Amino acid sequence: MSSAPFDNLLNFRDVAESVNKHAGREIMTPGLLYRSARPDDASPADRQRLVNEYGIKTIIDLRTDSERLAQAEKHGSRNTARDTAHPLDIPGIAYRCINFNGPAYSRALLKQLTWGQTARFLTLYAFNDRASAIAILGRSAIAPHGLLGLATSTLTYSGAAIRALFTLLYAPLPPTTPSPNPTYPILIHCTQGKDRTGLSILLLLLLLHAPLSAIAADYAASEAELLPELNERLAQIRAMGLPDAFAHCEDGWTESLSQWLDERYGGVEAYLGSVGVRRAECEWLRDALGVRGGGN
């Protein structure tokens, strides 16, 4: 598989190749699961590579509808809201959207605002000043807790989204089916492929018993991969009322999240069970994506 960089697709990597390299042993089967930043800006050549070289069959997009719509408008799409779920889709690839910042998550953030902040937020939202409204949430409900708090809030309040993700990842074939799995290889992305994508990959790698050092190294790889758009991202983050640290990878993030899962739920599989992921799905994922014995 070519390791040449894409023209305009950031933070792309084969999760297995990354974690196996950092672990120094085979943990996961290569060629099945990839991660990246948004592919909206990908050049025609990049898109062809995703289909023909990497064989991507499914893209799982963890962004909000607003984020996707903003990208559509950036690229000049004039489609209706119904048509902008995937306005920049790549022919031959199935798209699946899962909003990791859905209603339950948003309600939890709003509950952290004071009465005055809530009134201001609702007023701005009513007058369609979404950017200023979001900045209130950013400054008051997200920034104080850092990237770790962002992740634990997602785990706490976005259980339905995480269940939906693992339902998509669980793709067994009938025993009599001779053809390759029509769902895999899968590419998971959000905006930068760092936070929501990083959380998704962390859960899966913990399920595969990958060492924390390897998971942390894969997460930290996003720091260098995203440098080309750092200034643009810093401007976006500041506009959202967030500190510059949110544009970077947080030291100790992986280890702290793993500890949080252990203390709150007794481990990743117990957490996944609490949001509705069945044991059989976990076992299938370990068998289908993992290298037998590699994570032990």
Side-chain angles (χ1 to χ4, degrees), residues 6-295:
F6 285 86
D7 295 331
N8 207 20
L9 174 60
L10 297 179
N11 209 12
F12 178 92
R13 56 190 172 275
D14 183 325
V15 175
E17 289 184 356
S18 175
V19 76
N20 291 348
K21 177 185 73 175
H22 293 299
R25 64 181 191 274
E26 298 298 304
I27 301 291
M28 188 175 177
T29 303
L32 294 176
L33 187 68
Y34 299 86
R35 60 182 294 175
S36 76
R38 65 198 180 281
D40 304 334
D41 301 325
S43 70
D46 292 339
R47 291 165 178 251
Q48 287 297 315
R49 286 185 66 190
L50 288 174
V51 175
N52 298 325
E53 183 177 336
Y54 291 94
I56 303 298
K57 293 190 176 72
T58 306
I59 287 179
I60 300 177
D61 184 346
L62 305 178
R63 296 176 298 174
T64 64
D65 291 341
S66 296
E67 288 175 287
R68 285 190 291 274
L69 183 57
Q71 282 295 306
E73 292 172 346
K74 172 184 174 183
H75 289 271
S77 171
R78 293 295 180 265
N79 294 337
T80 64
R82 178 182 177 185
D83 293 328
T84 54
H86 294 292
L88 306 168
D89 60 347
I90 302 170
I93 296 180
Y95 284 78
R96 302 290 183 263
C97 294
I98 302 174
N99 181 5
F100 260 37
N101 302 128
Y105 177 85
S106 298
R107 287 194 297 270
L109 291 183
L110 286 170
K111 288 180 180 178
Q112 298 180 45
L113 301 182
T114 65
W115 183 90
Q117 290 167 339
T118 301
R120 179 65 175 159
F121 173 88
L122 294 175
T123 300
L124 290 168
Y125 212 90
F127 282 92
N128 206 32
D129 189 354
R130 294 172 60 90
S132 297
I134 289 171
I136 291 175
L137 280 180
R139 285 191 299 271
S140 303
I142 300 176
H145 308 291
L147 284 171
L148 179 62
L150 179 65
T152 56
S153 292
T154 301
L155 290 170
T156 301
Y157 300 111
S158 298
I162 291 167
R163 177 182 179 181
L165 170 65
F166 276 79
T167 297
L168 289 176
L169 293 173
Y170 174 70
L173 290 175
T176 56
T177 303
S179 59
N181 194 308
T183 301
Y184 284 86
I186 290 175
L187 170 65
I188 300 178
H189 78 89
C190 49
T191 294
Q192 288 193 296
K194 177 175 74 73
D195 300 315
R196 287 165 288 188
T197 300
L199 179 59
S200 302
I201 298 302
L202 175 137
L203 291 172
L204 183 60
L205 290 177
L206 287 175
L207 188 63
L208 297 180
H209 306 302
L212 284 179
S213 59
I215 303 174
D218 177 66
Y219 165 71
S222 293
E223 186 78 33
E225 292 287 334
L226 293 167
L227 281 176
E229 66 171 27
L230 178 59
N231 290 335
E232 176 186 352
R233 185 58 179 163
L234 284 171
Q236 293 170 346
I237 284 197
R238 291 164 185 165
M240 294 169 64
L242 299 173
D244 290 358
F246 276 71
H248 300 283
C249 294
E250 184 174 290
D251 290 340
W253 184 86
T254 296
E255 295 82 357
S256 296
L257 270 179
S258 177
Q259 182 178 354
W260 186 89
L261 286 165
D262 287 343
E263 292 175 351
R264 292 290 186 96
Y265 295 93
V268 66
E269 190 163 350
Y271 167 76
L272 291 172
S274 75
V275 300
V277 180
R278 296 180 293 116
R279 182 182 295 272
E281 294 172 312
C282 294
E283 291 297 335
W284 183 89
L285 285 166
R286 273 195 285 257
D287 187 59
L289 302 184
V291 175
R292 192 171 297 277

